[in-house]
């Protein structure tokens, strides 16, 4: 039967207390970094409610009753998960309308109608407004889970009507122990992986197979090249393009942050790219702190543009970043 991850005990306890005191909210906003397991947590709580013969000792779903069997078969009529039809895209208003209709229906198990919206920040203004009325006057047998890695992107009207439960990034022994069981043959230590993932163990797992980790070395090599006169910005930008502009910019920000840390704190620097300390150290000596900070700001600006609603040409964004590297002041002035 589905269960929470070992680093989610605190949040689980909070739910159990709310349940015992009969104060379960109708709308719950689960927030935390990517890879912390919000979906699994929501589903475990949902099944704990929907199970017809819950284990009184563990407070977990039994796994064998009719309700649990329907869940295992992937079609429980009282549990509905909605997500964008295409990953990274917005939720459609029709999806939210269907969901509103669904939570208003009678529950099959005689318990609750539960819905999970992931990610909740994939709602635009119109979609969020459509949901708002349901949040204001929820059907008595309904429970909505809104999941988000970026809750600040949600309209305040939505946030204020949900009970918020936060999951912090995890770097502790529990997460490290779990991760080391999943990753037998990784070149990187579990600690380095967890740090690169931003404290999301599930995200850390996906990094192992990921070409992006190897690409960091290319980025560092290119940054070194970019400091030289004979570098070809167009060539570098077009090499980077294969990894996707958002990915490249996100890794560049992590690398630049590490370079800034090394400049300021030297040996005491707490690096994200712990495994590349020597390569970074080698690069940082030829760089200037003010230029690094300006370049960080510039890459962040370009990242926000590329992730925003406007369409930018990815290649020209990358070319701008490469050109900016050696002339951070000029480009910053131009921007203002
Ligand atoms: Zn059951």
């Amino acid at each position: 039967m589905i269960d929470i991850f070992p680093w989610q005990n605190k949040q689980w306890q909070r739910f159990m207390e709310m349940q015992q005191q009969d104060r379960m909210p109708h709308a719950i906003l689960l927030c935390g970094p990517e890879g912390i397991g919000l979906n699994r947590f929501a589903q475990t709580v949902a099944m704990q409610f929907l199970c017809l013969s819950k284990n009184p000792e563990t407070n977990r779903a039994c796994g064998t009753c009719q309700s649990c069997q329907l869940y295992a078969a992937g079609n429980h009529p009282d549990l509905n998960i909605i997500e964008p039809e295409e990953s990274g895209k917005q939720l459609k208003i029709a999806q939210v309308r269907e969901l509103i209709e669904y939570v208003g229906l009678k529950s099959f198990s005689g318990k609750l109608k539960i819905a999970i919206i992931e990610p909740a920040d994939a709602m635009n203004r119109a979609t969020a407004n459509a949901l708002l009325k349901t949040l204001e006057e929820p059907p008595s047998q309904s429970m909505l889970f809104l999941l988000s890695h970026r809750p600040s992107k949600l309209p305040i009207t939505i946030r204020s009507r949900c009970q918020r439960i936060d999951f912090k990034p995890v770097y502790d022994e529990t997460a490290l122990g779990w991760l080391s069981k999943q990753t037998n043959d990784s070149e990187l230590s579990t600690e380095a992986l967890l740090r690169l993932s931003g404290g999301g163990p599930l995200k850390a797992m996906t990094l192992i197979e990921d070409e992006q980790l190897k690409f960091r070395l290319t980025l560092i090599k290119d940054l070194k090249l970019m400091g030289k006169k004979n570098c070809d910005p167009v060539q570098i930008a077009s090499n980077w393009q294969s990894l996707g502009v958002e990915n490249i910019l996100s890794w560049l920000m992590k690398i630049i942050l590490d370079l800034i840390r090394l400049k300021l704190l030297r040996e005491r620097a707490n690096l994200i790219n712990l495994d590349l300390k020597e390569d970074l150290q080698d690069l940082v000596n030829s760089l200037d702190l003010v230029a690094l900070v300006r370049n960080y700001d510039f890459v962040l600006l370009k990242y926000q543009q590329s992730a925003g609603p406007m369409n930018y040409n990815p290649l020209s964004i990358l070319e701008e970043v490469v050109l900016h590297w050696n002339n951070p002041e000029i480009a910053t002035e131009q921007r203002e």
Side-chain angles (χ1 to χ4, degrees):
M1 196 59 203
I2 189 167
D3 203 354
I4 56 165
F5 288 106
W7 55 86
Q8 298 176 326
N9 271 318
K10 208 173 87 194
Q11 291 82 359
W12 178 262
Q13 284 311 324
R14 199 155 153 215
F15 264 98
M16 294 307 107
E17 278 162 26
M18 287 194 285
Q19 197 180 10
Q20 277 160 12
Q21 295 162 0
D22 211 12
R23 315 186 272 116
M24 272 311 289
H26 286 287
I28 301 131
L29 174 59
L30 301 181
C31 308
E34 226 179 303
I36 200 83
L38 297 181
N39 191 307
R40 175 127 139 216
F41 184 87
Q43 290 199 44
T44 310
V45 175
M47 280 320 296
Q48 197 266 154
F49 275 98
L50 295 175
C51 171
L52 301 169
S53 60
K54 189 169 66 180
N55 183 328
E57 272 172 38
T58 63
N59 242 330
R60 301 295 207 273
C62 71
T64 51
C65 72
Q66 193 193 11
S67 193
C68 286
Q69 279 178 17
L70 282 168
Y71 171 77
N75 51 7
H76 199 296
D78 292 336
L79 179 63
N80 192 351
I81 301 172
I82 68 161
E83 51 197 1
E85 285 166 5
E86 263 179 85
S87 152
K89 292 274 170 5
Q90 296 272 306
L91 285 159
K92 296 209 167 117
I93 196 150
Q95 290 179 285
V96 171
R97 290 208 177 111
E98 258 174 54
L99 178 103
I100 294 166
E101 203 177 317
Y102 155 86
V103 290
L105 296 173
K106 198 172 174 303
S107 138
F108 164 83
S109 57
K111 290 172 175 269
L112 287 166
K113 285 303 247 195
I114 301 179
I116 299 173
I117 305 178
E118 182 183 34
D121 46 77
M123 287 191 283
N124 61 23
R125 192 180 287 264
T127 329
N129 277 340
L131 186 68
L132 205 54
K133 204 168 155 13
T134 305
L135 294 180
E136 280 165 351
E137 297 165 26
S140 60
Q141 283 198 325
S142 68
M143 190 187 280
L144 284 180
F145 285 96
L146 282 75
L147 276 43
S148 180
H149 306 308
R150 288 179 284 187
S152 57
K153 282 182 85 183
L154 278 166
I156 185 103
T157 45
I158 296 274
R159 270 184 283 158
S160 64
R161 280 163 183 83
C162 297
Q163 169 101 42
R164 176 168 169 162
I165 307 248
D166 280 296
F167 293 74
K168 297 246 151 38
V170 283
Y171 300 101
D172 60 9
E173 289 302 319
T174 316
L176 287 171
W178 180 87
L179 191 58
S180 67
K181 275 187 212 153
Q182 328 288 323
T183 57
N184 295 328
D185 49 354
S186 167
E187 286 170 24
L188 287 177
S189 70
T190 46
E191 197 191 352
L193 278 170
L194 202 52
R195 211 179 279 204
L196 283 165
S197 75
L202 307 181
K203 168 108 180 159
M205 257 174 71
T206 66
L207 287 179
I208 299 169
E209 301 287 320
D210 207 315
E211 284 302 305
Q212 295 185 32
L213 280 186
K214 290 188 198 126
F215 207 86
R216 292 175 304 154
L217 277 172
T218 310
L219 281 177
I220 292 176
K221 208 163 23 157
D222 286 345
L223 289 179
K224 216 179 270 180
L225 260 180
M226 278 150 60
K228 299 196 172 121
K229 283 210 174 77
N230 56 354
C231 102
D232 178 356
V234 180
Q235 182 65 47
I236 289 176
S238 74
N239 281 350
W240 288 359
Q241 216 186 352
S242 64
L243 217 65
V245 63
E246 274 187 55
N247 280 330
I248 289 286
L249 298 181
S250 158
W251 282 115
L252 270 178
M253 283 192 284
K254 289 184 181 131
I255 288 172
I256 300 174
L257 269 182
D258 276 350
L259 291 168
I260 294 173
R261 287 180 176 129
L262 277 173
K263 270 275 181 225
L264 291 172
L265 299 164
R266 295 169 201 279
E267 275 311 304
R268 285 178 296 128
N270 199 3
L271 301 182
I272 304 169
N273 299 281
L274 197 61
D275 54 314
L276 301 183
K277 191 169 182 180
E278 279 177 31
D279 303 85
L280 289 164
Q281 189 69 60
D282 191 33
L283 172 64
V284 81
N285 295 331
S286 59
L287 300 171
D288 171 68
L289 180 60
V290 176
L292 277 172
V293 173
R294 289 188 178 198
N295 271 305
Y296 179 83
D297 284 346
F298 189 74
V299 177
L300 176 63
L301 177 83
K302 292 292 145 188
Y303 177 81
Q304 286 162 341
Q305 283 179 353
S306 71
M310 303 277 284
N311 279 327
Y312 288 93
N313 179 331
L315 188 59
S316 61
I317 284 192
L318 294 175
E319 282 175 13
E320 278 183 75
V321 169
V322 178
L323 287 170
H324 190 267
W325 186 254
N326 279 332
N327 302 293
E329 275 170 273
I330 297 163
T332 308
E333 277 163 20
Q334 277 173 349
R335 211 170 81 222
E336 284 161 1

